[in-house]
Amino acid sequence: TFRKKTSNNVDLKDVFISIKTTKSFHQSRLTWILKTWFVLAKEQTYFFTDGDDPDFQSKTGGHLVNTNCSSSHNRKALCCKMSVEFDRFLESHKKWFCHFDDDNYVNVPRLVKLLQMYNPQEDWYLGKPSIRAPLEILNRDNTQQKIAFWFATGGAGFCISKALALKMMPIASGGKFMSVCEKIRLPDDVTMGYIIEHVLRKKLTVVEHFHSHLETMKFMKSSSFADQITFSYSKFGSEMNILSLEGFDPKIDPTRFISLHCHLFPSFDFCPP
Ligand code: UDP
Ligand code: MN
């Protein structure tokens, strides 16, 4: 019988999904992920944190990785986690590395559909910048030259193909990612852009369907949700930056992830008939 070949032969099983988190956010943030999109990608998704947590170790099906990185929100700690995420991806031998924050909702089938458009044996860096022009810095080497490069915002999510990750290995594997962070003194997502665009001279491919909470969530139309790849939420002052959609009471669904999940997958057990 004839079977349709998947584009680029990519399937969910070929994707390594890593989520950066911290122990004090397990309860407040992982809860929404575990109830919703994680259910669609249990085997592929790993949480990179900074402390042991038997409760969440079991809730994630053993997919909580204690990086032993510091639990503070400084560049070193965040780069340390990204470094461990990258090394774990390499060990997984999967075709795609996708990183997200713990305040991201990932539309899993839509992510797979995106990745099917690109060959993982070619160099691909997919994501969305949050600035309108490439970042300009003074290169911290003996030249002190001005350099400019794009980077994908970590809080919107980004994906790197296996071929590109292999080229990054000499620069970024085995904990070396951290040294690059320290050298250029910039955050983990910026360091990714520096390594890929400046050092390896590969271009970021902008994917508009990734969304961080630097965007105003309520401006996104519910009719377009199914076509988006990531969503997020945040609090500024007393106001929440959240998606605007019908669904569960904000008291039980403050992030709107439960309502979003039912919008996308109405047959889920907790969704209204
Ligand atoms: N994070 C972390 N350690 C910290 C604080 C935050 O690993 O001490 C992670 C957090 O879990 C999230 C990401 O870093 O995945 C971004 O944190 P947050 O959303 O709080 O801040 P943002 O940079 O988005 O404003
Ligand atoms: Mn955030």
Side-chain angles (χ1 to χ4, degrees), residues 19 21-39 47 53 55-57 59-60 64 101-105 233 251-258 261 268 270:
I19 313 289
T21 189
T22 186
K23 195 172 175 181
S24 63
F25 289 166
H26 291 176
Q27 189 61 47
S28 60
R29 295 193 182 186
L30 298 196
T31 301
W32 312 109
I33 295 177
L34 294 174
K35 261 190 209 212
T36 59
W37 69 266
F38 175 73
V39 180
F47 299 87
D53 184 340
D55 180 27
F56 276 87
Q57 190 58 262
K59 285 176 175 161
T60 59
L64 193 67
D101 277 358
D102 58 6
D103 49 12
N104 281 137
Y105 179 99
Y233 62 86
K251 280 198 200 74
I252 65 162
D253 182 23
T255 68
R256 308 315 286 152
F257 280 8
I258 309 283
H261 195 67
F268 248 68
F270 55 74

Side-chain angles (χ1 to χ4, degrees), residues 158-205:
F158 59 79
C159 298
I160 293 170
S161 65
K162 167 116 174 209
L164 178 54
L166 291 176
K167 292 199 175 106
M168 294 168 66
M169 265 184 81
I171 309 157
S173 71
K176 289 205 268 295
F177 182 87
M178 263 191 288
S179 317
V180 182
C181 265
E182 279 311 291
K183 186 188 128 190
I184 67 170
R185 295 177 180 277
L186 289 167
D188 52 353
D189 52 357
V190 182
T191 301
M192 270 299 171
Y194 173 85
I195 293 171
I196 298 168
E197 283 227 331
H198 177 71
V199 183
L200 295 174
R201 303 281 164 186
K202 308 289 176 185
K203 290 260 163 288
L204 169 70
T205 297

Side-chain angles (χ1 to χ4, degrees), residues 229-248:
I229 300 166
T230 58
F231 305 85
S232 192
Y233 62 86
S234 67
K235 209 173 175 173
F236 52 96
S238 61
E239 232 188 295
M240 288 286 280
N241 178 16
I242 48 173
L243 290 170
S244 162
L245 83 165
E246 304 265 292
F248 292 93

Side-chain angles (χ1 to χ4, degrees), residues 55-103:
D55 180 27
F56 276 87
Q57 190 58 262
S58 133
K59 285 176 175 161
T60 59
H63 283 205
L64 193 67
V65 179
N66 183 356
T67 57
N68 291 313
C69 298
S70 146
S71 63
S72 46
H73 188 107
N74 55 37
R75 186 186 65 245
K76 219 177 189 151
L78 300 180
C79 286
C80 173
K81 274 176 202 162
M82 183 64 79
S83 188
V84 178
E85 289 176 47
F86 184 69
D87 284 335
R88 279 299 191 97
F89 162 68
L90 291 173
E91 284 167 26
S92 78
H93 299 290
K94 296 207 184 237
K95 295 178 183 170
W96 285 97
F97 169 44
C98 295
H99 159 94
F100 304 101
D101 277 358
D102 58 6
D103 49 12

